[in-house]
Amino acid sequence: MAATLFLGGCVSFSQDGGISVARNIAYAELNKDVSKITNEAEALAAQQRVTELLRRPLTPDTAVQIALLKNRGLQAAFNDLGISEATYVQASLPPSPRVVLGRSGLLGGASFEIERQLMIGLFELATLPQRAAVAQQEFQAAQFRTAEAVLSLGAEARRQYYRAIAANQQVAFLQQALATAETASELAKQLGETGSLNKLEQAREHAFYQELGAQLAQARIDQKVERERLIRQLGLWGRDIDFSLPSSLPPLPARLASQKDVESEALARRVDLHALRNDLNAVAGQYSLDVVTSVISDIELVEGSSFGKNKVISEEGVEIEKEKSRIRGIEASFTIPIFDFGETTRRGAQEAYMAAANRLAERAVNVRSESREAYAVYRGKYDLARHYQSRVLPLQKRIQDEALLQYSGMLVDVSQLIIDARTRILSNIDAINARRDFWIAATDLKAALVGGGAGSGSSGGETTTAAAGGEAAGGGH
């Protein structure tokens, strides 16, 4: 009867496996959909949507959406959340009674006795609401951590998208530069045959052409590596990996939105802080339970009865079989920790609570710093990319044009022309690196404000031969 009273408060499984928090955060922060794939029909629907998105060149947003639909690591995170929900539902159920049956007496003897006992933990039953509340806080923390996994995957897919585009631009720019260098190398060979160009200047032109060829070969390797990394982030295989990418990175925004108080915004929106707050609430609830159990471990209610038969000899010498039934009353048993008076349990619970509180405080301090750092990098990368776009590249273009005019007028030799060409190539490479790093910094800033892992900047995807951007589409020299 006591167990029946608690059944009304039992928790049932959710229809979506507990991913509602992750779904809502993904829609609010990324404007993207997430779904837990549990059957063939859902898998087919997700694949059809991915196929439709892959018909056109990928954009940063479509790359993120594909990753949220196809990445199996994210689906595993949803499965782990389902395990957490099962634990939560289990914790909300009343304790199951234990039944003990026994038979005593000699094998084949004239007398025997059958005993049964029904036991249930009263303390466990009485603390059911509090234990269920602790499990609820733990499950809510798991929900926010799953949402953090969604944000982390979306951020890394976006970062890798920019790296892959930049690698493509490196190849395109170096191909153009190599074509120009090849033409100059052939011209130097012809001038050498006529005696108009000495062997030293011919060798310099040929060496410059070969150097660009080596850089292009390395850029093509990096291009394949970055594309494969993007494929892994998106979770694609088979024919789906034949998607197309744009030829250049997105242009820089005209201006940046000001961030007046990134610290308070991060403190309010970071999903990892929400998870740690739920952890702290769960530990606080567990702390009060541990304080009680440090005095009395549990009270077990035992209801039992016994039934037996034996044979006796009457005064007339007749054997008579008698039955006896004995009903015992209700018993209660519990354990008292008389040696440490529960001090070890209370001390452990207190330390666990303080550890959770300190972890939350540490994360809050780090979140403030991370948000300021991310915005500083974001702002700095934007200024650097604009500087290359509006100042450095136009000056390098003017230097190249003037050098060609003077070379045509025999005012400078080929060595100076090659030096200027190398400088311009490096400037174009740096310009595209700067543009790529700005878009990665923008992704890192978003992650610092809402969660999803610390930004990795250009690490892992940066190469020695970065791509060229809009103004850098010209040849080498």
Side-chain angles (χ1 to χ4, degrees):
M1 292 176 60
T4 304
L5 295 176
F6 287 95
L7 288 176
C10 295
V11 179
S12 59
F13 286 97
S14 59
Q15 295 293 327
D16 60 1
I19 68 169
S20 57
V21 172
R23 177 183 290 115
N24 293 338
I25 289 177
Y27 184 78
E29 302 295 350
L30 304 178
N31 195 26
K32 298 293 177 289
D33 300 323
V34 297
S35 62
K36 182 178 180 180
I37 308 300
T38 58
N39 53 57
E40 187 176 351
E42 292 174 348
L44 180 60
Q47 180 58 47
Q48 289 176 344
R49 186 174 180 187
V50 168
T51 301
E52 182 62 28
L53 292 174
L54 292 174
R55 294 183 188 278
R56 298 176 294 276
L58 285 187
T59 66
D61 288 332
T62 57
V64 171
Q65 183 62 81
I66 291 172
L68 296 183
L69 292 174
K70 291 289 290 183
N71 188 283
R72 291 302 182 93
L74 183 61
Q75 291 299 316
F78 292 158
N79 296 138
D80 291 338
L81 181 61
I83 296 174
S84 299
E85 185 180 34
T87 302
Y88 169 41
V89 173
Q90 177 65 37
S92 71
L93 299 176
S96 300
R98 294 185 294 125
V99 178
V100 178
L101 300 176
R103 182 183 187 280
S104 61
L106 296 176
L107 184 63
S111 301
F112 69 90
E113 184 174 324
I114 298 176
E115 184 178 6
R116 72 169 180 84
Q117 289 183 333
L118 180 66
M119 295 174 285
I120 188 170
L122 287 181
F123 184 78
E124 189 178 0
L125 192 63
T127 58
L128 177 62
Q130 192 168 357
R131 289 187 292 106
V134 171
Q136 182 183 23
Q137 292 294 330
E138 292 174 343
F139 175 59
Q140 289 176 350
Q143 286 181 301
F144 280 108
R145 289 195 171 90
T146 303
E148 186 178 13
V150 170
L151 296 176
S152 179
L153 176 62
E156 191 51 43
R158 192 178 292 268
R159 294 186 191 105
Q160 191 56 44
Y161 172 85
Y162 294 132
R163 296 187 188 112
I165 298 297
N168 288 347
Q169 283 187 264
Q170 293 175 36
V171 172
F173 170 69
L174 290 175
Q175 283 176 337
Q176 293 179 350
L178 184 65
T180 304
E182 182 181 16
T183 302
S185 179
E186 288 294 328
L187 179 60
K189 181 181 178 181
Q190 294 174 6
L191 292 175
E193 292 173 352
T194 62
S196 301
L197 197 65
N198 60 46
K199 292 184 178 181
L200 177 60
E201 292 180 337
Q202 292 180 57
R204 284 172 176 164
E205 281 286 0
H206 298 329
F208 180 69
Y209 169 64
Q210 296 300 328
E211 287 174 6
L212 280 181
Q215 292 184 38
L216 178 58
Q218 181 61 50
R220 284 172 172 160
I221 294 173
D222 297 334
Q223 180 187 38
K224 294 177 181 178
V225 170
E226 299 298 350
R227 184 179 178 89
E228 289 299 332
R229 289 175 178 173
L230 178 60
I231 288 172
R232 291 198 296 273
Q233 287 294 331
L234 302 184
L236 299 179
W237 62 283
R239 292 181 298 178
D240 289 342
I241 68 173
D242 297 328
F243 57 84
S244 59
L245 293 171
S247 58
S248 62
L249 288 164
L252 296 175
R255 60 179 181 176
L256 300 182
S258 62
Q259 295 287 338
K260 295 182 179 179
D261 195 352
V262 293
E263 294 182 42
S264 60
E265 185 177 355
L267 289 174
R269 297 170 64 184
R270 284 281 289 258
V271 294
D272 52 345
L273 285 178
H274 288 293
L276 287 175
R277 290 188 187 104
N278 282 282
D279 283 339
L280 182 62
N281 293 334
V283 174
Q286 187 63 45
Y287 173 74
S288 58
L289 279 175
D290 289 342
V291 169
V292 177
T293 57
S294 66
V295 180
I296 299 177
S297 61
D298 196 3
I299 301 176
E300 191 170 57
L301 184 66
V302 182
E303 184 277 330
S305 63
S306 63
F307 170 79
K309 288 184 179 182
N310 60 0
K311 294 181 180 181
V312 297
I313 304 299
S314 67
E315 294 178 355
E316 294 79 8
V318 179
E319 186 180 83
I320 301 175
E321 186 179 78
K322 290 187 174 182
E323 295 183 0
K324 63 178 182 178
S325 179
R326 179 167 57 88
I327 306 298
R328 291 205 304 267
I330 298 176
E331 301 176 0
S333 63
F334 55 88
T335 302
I336 301 178
I338 61 174
F339 295 106
D340 63 357
F341 299 99
E343 181 62 25
T344 56
T345 303
R346 289 195 298 270
R347 180 63 63 86
Q350 181 182 9
E351 295 295 340
Y353 176 80
M354 292 306 300
N358 284 323
R359 277 191 289 268
L360 176 58
E362 179 194 28
R363 184 64 60 85
V365 171
N366 291 345
V367 162
R368 291 174 179 269
S369 176
E370 288 170 7
S371 62
R372 295 193 304 269
E373 177 188 352
Y375 185 75
V377 174
Y378 170 73
R379 179 75 216 190
K381 293 294 185 182
Y382 177 79
D383 292 340
L384 181 60
R386 291 284 296 180
H387 181 73
Y388 271 102
Q389 179 176 296
S390 60
R391 300 291 180 86
V392 176
L393 293 184
L395 285 175
Q396 289 295 337
K397 179 68 165 55
R398 183 183 303 174
I399 291 173
Q400 181 194 32
D401 294 341
E402 292 296 328
L404 287 174
L405 288 175
Q406 292 189 20
Y407 177 73
S408 300
M410 305 300 292
L411 299 177
V412 296
D413 59 14
V414 70
S415 60
Q416 184 60 49
L417 196 64
I418 291 175
I419 292 173
D420 292 339
R422 284 174 176 163
T423 303
R424 183 170 183 267
I425 289 173
L426 291 176
S427 296
N428 278 269
I429 289 173
D430 291 339
I432 289 309
N433 278 342
R435 189 190 299 187
R436 176 203 62 194
D437 291 347
F438 163 75
W439 287 112
I440 292 177
T443 304
D444 294 344
L445 176 61
K446 180 72 172 181
L449 295 179
V450 303
S456 57
S458 60
S459 62
E462 186 172 2
T463 61
T464 57
T465 54
E471 296 87 350
H477 71 292

